[in-house]
């Protein structure tokens, strides 16, 4: 083709210009076909649009952006299934799963999740899970483990990130934060584990649509809910007695109570 081009150039400059325009048009067509039909590039573009548009700059974005600024690295450890990687698409899908499941099954199919440094007795509330009826809480937590563990480390970068890979995850009954704050003795946390005996690949045993996770997010520089527990998940403080039993506390009263409890934790840690 180049030989024909040079021959035409020598004989007729105008024809050479036309020939060059044909070559450029053909090259542009090839590039367009590759970029629009290439599955790899298409997938990357779709995910990029998801991150830029559908979930643009919500609290999840800010949580991830803040941690990128702090250079948090999550490298190593067991392989993470694609659907449990910590990205905006997976987080949104799990949040939607949680909301849908709870709307149908109520709190009976949900649990509150707490994360803990194994060398400390402070348990940090990090979110909630839901599951379909035939999936046990142990299987649900094993399936969601990579996402919840990384979320815990991002949520509490000072306390939990240094223990990433060794963070303990515990559960309590769904929507039991108030009872936990009151140190009700009947509320005992149960430790969960990454692996389930007899199940080699949890991602094959439990589908991602059978579980849901709604991660805790902080607003207005709130300190985050935490509680002191013993090694077996029991409250270490005596039960907090409410001043009245004929009504639920208001949000202001609950906030005041949480400030008192958190201050007690800080004093006992010193």
């Amino acid at each position: 083709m180049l030989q024909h081009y040079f021959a035409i150039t020598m004989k007729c400059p105008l024809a050479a210009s036309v020939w060059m325009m044909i070559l450029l048009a053909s090259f542009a067509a090839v590039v367009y076909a590759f970029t629009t039909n290439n599955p790899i590039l298409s997938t990357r573009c779709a995910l990029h649009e998801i991150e830029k548009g559908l979930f643009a700059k919500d609290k999840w974005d800010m949580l991830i952006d803040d941690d990128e600024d702090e250079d948090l690295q999550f490298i190593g450890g067991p392989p993470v299934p694609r659907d449990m990687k910590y990205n905006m698409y997976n987080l949104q899908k799990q949040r939607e799963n949680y909301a849908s499941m709870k709307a149908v099954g109520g709190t009976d199919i949900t649990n509150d999740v707490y994360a803990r440094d194994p060398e400390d007795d402070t348990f940090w509330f990090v979110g909630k899970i839901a599951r379909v009826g035939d999936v046990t809480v142990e299987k649900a937590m094993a399936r969601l483990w990579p996402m919840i563990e990384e979320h815990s480390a991002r949520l509490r970068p000072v306390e939990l990130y240094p223990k990433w890979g060794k963070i303990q995850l515990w559960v309590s009954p769904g929507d039991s934060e108030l009872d936990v704050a009151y140190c009700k003795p009947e509320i005992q946390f149960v430790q969960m584990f990454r692996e389930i005996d007899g199940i080699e690949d949890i991602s094959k045993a439990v589908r991602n649509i059978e579980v849901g996770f709604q991660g805790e997010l902080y607003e207005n520089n709130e300190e985050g809910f935490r509680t002191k527990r013993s090694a077996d998940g029991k409250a270490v403080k005596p039960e907090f007695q409410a001043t009245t039993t004929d009504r639920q506390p208001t949000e202001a009263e609950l906030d005041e109570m949480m400030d008192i409890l958190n201050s007690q934790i800080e004093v006992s840690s010193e």
Side-chain angles (χ1 to χ4, degrees), residues 229-258:
R229 294 270 152 171
S230 63
D232 58 358
K234 295 181 179 179
V236 298
K237 296 283 186 180
E239 182 178 355
F240 183 86
Q241 298 293 335
T243 58
T244 180
T245 58
D246 59 356
R247 67 174 178 85
Q248 291 291 326
T250 65
E251 290 189 8
E253 291 172 336
L254 183 57
D255 289 341
E256 182 179 358
M257 181 184 69
M258 291 306 304

Side-chain angles (χ1 to χ4, degrees), residues 28-46:
V30 171
V31 171
Y32 175 81
F34 177 79
T35 55
T36 54
N37 296 320
N38 188 302
I40 297 177
L41 293 180
S42 298
T43 301
R44 289 177 179 173
C45 291

Side-chain angles (χ1 to χ4, degrees), residues 138-139 141-143 145 169 191-196:
E138 291 83 5
K139 290 181 180 179
M141 285 295 296
R143 185 69 166 92
W145 191 283
L169 298 180
Q191 186 176 1
M192 298 288 106
F193 298 94
R194 182 191 296 268
E195 298 179 353
I196 302 293

Side-chain angles (χ1 to χ4, degrees), residues 13-148:
L14 179 60
S17 299
V18 174
W19 185 256
M20 177 58 70
M21 292 177 63
I22 294 174
L23 286 177
L24 292 175
S26 300
F27 179 76
V30 171
V31 171
Y32 175 81
F34 177 79
T35 55
T36 54
N37 296 320
N38 188 302
I40 297 177
L41 293 180
S42 298
T43 301
R44 289 177 179 173
C45 291
L47 291 177
H48 184 64
E49 289 304 315
I50 288 174
E51 294 179 358
K52 287 183 61 180
L54 184 57
F55 313 123
K57 285 302 172 187
D58 64 4
K59 289 179 287 186
W60 291 103
D61 289 288
M62 290 185 284
L63 179 63
I64 294 177
D65 290 345
D66 289 345
D67 290 332
E68 288 176 348
D69 292 340
E70 296 171 9
D71 295 325
L72 299 186
Q73 300 293 321
F74 298 90
I75 302 174
V80 177
R82 177 183 295 182
D83 56 12
M84 287 298 145
K85 290 183 179 297
Y86 199 89
N87 57 52
M88 296 308 307
Y89 179 79
N90 290 339
L91 290 169
Q92 180 68 11
K93 291 297 294 182
Q94 286 303 313
R95 183 163 51 181
E96 292 173 354
N97 288 355
Y98 174 86
S100 300
M101 292 177 188
K102 186 179 181 182
V104 175
T107 57
D108 290 341
I109 62 169
T110 69
N111 290 89
D112 296 347
V113 183
Y114 293 80
R116 174 200 180 199
D117 173 352
E119 299 178 358
D120 188 62
D121 61 354
T122 299
F123 291 68
W124 296 92
F125 175 72
V126 296
K128 299 170 178 286
I129 66 163
R131 62 198 186 282
V132 296
D134 58 345
V135 174
T136 65
V137 62
E138 291 83 5
K139 290 181 180 179
M141 285 295 296
R143 185 69 166 92
L144 292 162
W145 191 283
M147 182 179 292
I148 298 178

